[in-house]
Amino acid sequence: MARLADATPIILPTLICDNFLLDPEVLESKISEKSRLLILCSPSNPTGSVYPKKLLEKIAEIVAKHPRLLVLSDEIYEHIIYAPATHTSFASLPGMWERTLTVNGFSKSKLHPACISATSYCLCL
C-alpha cells in the first residue's frame, strides 16, 4: 500500500530472540527526514508480542525527534493478551496523542478473532 501512495517502505527486521519486538536502535538508524509514518502493531498477531510500556516510551522519544513523523498504531488485539503482559496505547504516551493514528475495532474484542496474516513493521519514506 505504501507504494500505491508513492512512498518507499522500509521494512525493519525483528528477531525471535527479541520476541519480535522492534529494536529502538534499528528504528533510529533507519529514520530520515523523509520518514512520514511508522506502523506499529501491539499486541501482534501471529507472534503474540506485546510491547512493554518502557519500550514504547523509547520509541516515542525517537518519534518526538522527527516532527513530520506520525505513528499508525494497530491495537486491534488489545483485549486478547495474557498475563503478565499489559496493553499500553501508543497515543497515551507523552506527546504522542497528536502524532498517533490508532487502528482498533469491535470485531476482535467482542467476536471470535479470525486468523490474520503476519505482522511487519514499516517506515514509510
Side-chain angles (χ1 to χ4, degrees):
M1 284 202 218
R3 287 192 179 97
L4 289 174
D6 203 26
T8 303
I10 306 295
I11 307 301
L12 305 177
T14 57
L15 305 171
I16 192 169
C17 62
D18 294 329
N19 201 25
F20 297 105
L21 298 173
L22 183 60
D23 181 339
E25 290 178 10
V26 172
L27 173 62
E28 197 151 30
S29 73
K30 299 293 184 180
I31 291 180
S32 73
E33 291 306 312
K34 291 182 176 182
S35 301
R36 295 294 176 262
L37 182 68
L38 171 65
I39 301 172
L40 286 176
C41 300
S42 179
S44 175
N45 182 14
T47 68
S49 297
V50 179
Y51 277 80
K53 186 174 183 178
K54 294 283 184 202
L55 181 54
L56 289 175
E57 289 171 340
K58 289 179 185 178
I59 293 170
E61 288 173 13
I62 295 167
V63 170
K65 295 176 190 176
H66 301 275
R68 297 183 73 186
L69 183 64
L70 298 176
V71 176
L72 186 137
S73 184
D74 181 346
E75 301 175 15
I76 194 95
Y77 293 104
E78 74 171 298
H79 297 291
I80 307 175
I81 57 174
Y82 303 97
T86 58
H87 172 73
T88 301
S89 177
F90 196 79
S92 72
L93 301 174
M96 293 298 114
W97 175 259
E98 299 83 6
R99 310 273 302 274
T100 305
L101 305 164
T102 302
V103 176
N104 211 321
F106 182 77
S107 68
K108 299 298 185 230
S109 63
K110 305 300 179 206
L111 303 173
H112 188 299
C115 183
I116 305 297
S117 62
T119 301
S120 61
Y121 301 89
C122 180
L123 182 65
C124 296
L125 305 177

